[in-house]
Amino acid sequence: MKVLSVFGTRPEAVKMCPLVRELARRDGLESQVCLTSQHREMLYAVTGLFGVRADYDLALMRERQSLGEIFCGVLQGMDRVLAEAQPSLVLVHGDTSTSCAAALAAFYHKIPVGHVEAGLRSGRRYSPFPEEMNRRLSAALATLHFAPTERNAQNLRAEGIDENVFVTGNTVIDALRYTVDADYVFHDPALRGRLLSPERRVLLTAHRRENIPRGIAAICRAAARLAADFPETCFIFPVHPNPAVREIVIPLLRGKSNIMLTEPLDLTDMHNLMARCALVLTDSGGLQEEAPALGVPVLVLREETERPEAVEAGTVRLAGTAEDGIFRAAAALLGDEEARLRMARAVSPYGDGHACERIARHIESFLCPQRAAG
């Protein structure tokens, strides 16, 4: 039975590569991979780290392409791939345009779809944009739904999806087992030198489409104020390659002695940096899952989160996108070590690092029910 995993962005690759490796271990399954390369260099760096080879690559990345161009490129490209590969199941992940378009292409070919990281919901159609609608549409197209948490499964049931819903944990926790090392040596030489100092560190990332331009500008202004008020703390900001992000961030934050702007970090540098930080400020979805598993508190630079489990668990707080709100939330934790430690000690809700094994077993049971029963 052939399983075709389709992904195209770095965050998808981080969460899908451990699953691809697990599927490849299963005797009854043939695992294949199609990359859309919605991100290119950042994607290839992750697949290389995990030793995952692409059987197909749509090579779709273009500078400043529209969402419609991405979606149509994936849909047309997958039409050709599916006709050739003839998989028994197509796996997509999460909420990207790649996932939604690939799921639709599989539906057109009457091929079942497995949706990894299913059931996340913000409840707001345009936030995060376009991810919220992508994940809803993918759920409607999928046959198998791999929900990281029980809350995610409940979201699906509330929408009338109650067959083949499996709570598995999040595969990103599996990925951390490959990447984080107490004796790690950083690849980025500037980062390696900076981490030799004993100063406290805060990781900052911002790239969300709905935060461009005003939200990211507010985030940068708040970061500048925090750097001035906490001169003993180093704020490390890997700047997203999107030109629309860089045009805001670099003029506002360059030249400040305790704000370090870097190019995007490779996955192992990023995970090991995160593990050595006191706090993460981010508008990313994946970092809300990764940092709590490493015992690092997160302030989410968005107005809502589709990961309320982390808020309820106490590992994550919403800081919003207003300059004053971000500054106050971060300053409260940086100025109160006991409050920060309470968040750091809270238990991550995203599983035990064995999500890929559970997903692979459910796939085997679906595709090979007689063998699973035996």
Side-chain angles (χ1 to χ4, degrees), residues 28 39 45 129:
H39 297 167
F129 176 81

Side-chain angles (χ1 to χ4, degrees), residues 35-38 40 44 56-62:
L35 303 181
T36 67
S37 299
Q38 187 177 329
R40 186 179 294 134
Y44 295 163
Y56 305 93
D57 191 336
L58 304 186
L60 292 178
M61 184 176 176
R62 304 288 184 274

Side-chain angles (χ1 to χ4, degrees), residues 71 100 103 115 121 132-142:
F71 195 96
C100 187
H115 189 196
R121 298 291 184 271
E132 177 71 6
M133 191 51 64
N134 281 344
R135 61 172 69 108
R136 294 192 203 182
L137 293 170
S138 296
L141 294 163

Side-chain angles (χ1 to χ4, degrees), residues 111-340:
I111 299 169
V113 172
H115 189 196
V116 179
E117 197 175 274
L120 279 69
R121 298 291 184 271
S122 71
R124 296 178 62 180
R125 177 183 290 256
Y126 294 108
S127 182
F129 176 81
E131 287 84 354
E132 177 71 6
M133 191 51 64
N134 281 344
R135 61 172 69 108
R136 294 192 203 182
L137 293 170
S138 296
L141 294 163
T143 299
L144 304 177
H145 309 267
F146 303 115
T149 70
E150 180 58 35
R151 170 69 70 88
N152 303 147
Q154 291 172 3
N155 290 339
L156 293 168
R157 295 182 193 116
E159 296 171 3
I161 299 171
D162 52 14
E163 291 186 4
N164 297 320
V165 176
F166 308 104
V167 177
T168 61
N170 197 302
T171 60
V172 78
I173 311 304
D174 300 41
L176 294 174
R177 294 190 288 134
Y178 291 90
T179 57
V180 177
D181 184 349
D183 299 319
Y184 182 75
V185 177
F186 285 84
H187 301 145
D188 186 304
L191 196 60
R192 189 186 313 143
R194 190 86 197 212
L195 266 68
L196 292 174
S197 71
E199 63 193 348
R200 180 170 60 175
R201 291 172 288 274
V202 171
L203 174 63
L204 171 63
T205 78
H207 72 280
R208 294 221 58 84
R209 192 181 300 267
E210 65 269 22
N211 274 345
I212 301 172
R214 289 186 295 178
I216 290 181
I219 290 166
C220 290
R221 290 193 296 269
R225 289 171 60 187
L226 288 165
D229 278 19
F230 297 92
E232 78 291 351
T233 299
C234 177
F235 296 81
I236 302 173
F237 193 159
V239 184
H240 196 276
N242 184 344
V245 174
R246 300 174 76 87
E247 289 163 4
I248 301 167
V249 172
I250 293 173
L252 286 173
L253 293 181
R254 67 182 165 194
K256 301 185 185 301
S257 61
N258 61 328
I259 295 181
M260 181 181 181
L261 302 181
T262 77
E263 292 302 310
L265 301 177
D266 67 39
L267 180 63
T268 52
D269 270 8
M270 188 65 164
H271 280 177
N272 284 279
L273 170 61
M274 199 185 319
R276 291 158 174 79
C277 283
L279 180 65
V280 170
L281 309 178
T282 186
D283 64 2
S284 164
L287 268 65
Q288 296 177 51
E289 300 155 346
E290 293 164 342
L294 296 170
V296 182
V298 181
L299 293 180
V300 179
L301 310 179
R302 290 161 55 178
E303 298 301 327
E304 70 288 310
T305 179
E306 60 276 56
R307 295 166 172 86
E309 305 93 339
V311 177
E312 293 166 1
T315 64
V316 164
R317 291 181 188 171
L318 281 170
T321 57
E323 176 186 342
D324 286 344
I326 295 167
F327 174 80
R328 286 195 301 270
L333 292 177
L334 293 174
D336 185 342
E337 182 64 4
E338 185 52 42
R340 190 194 70 80

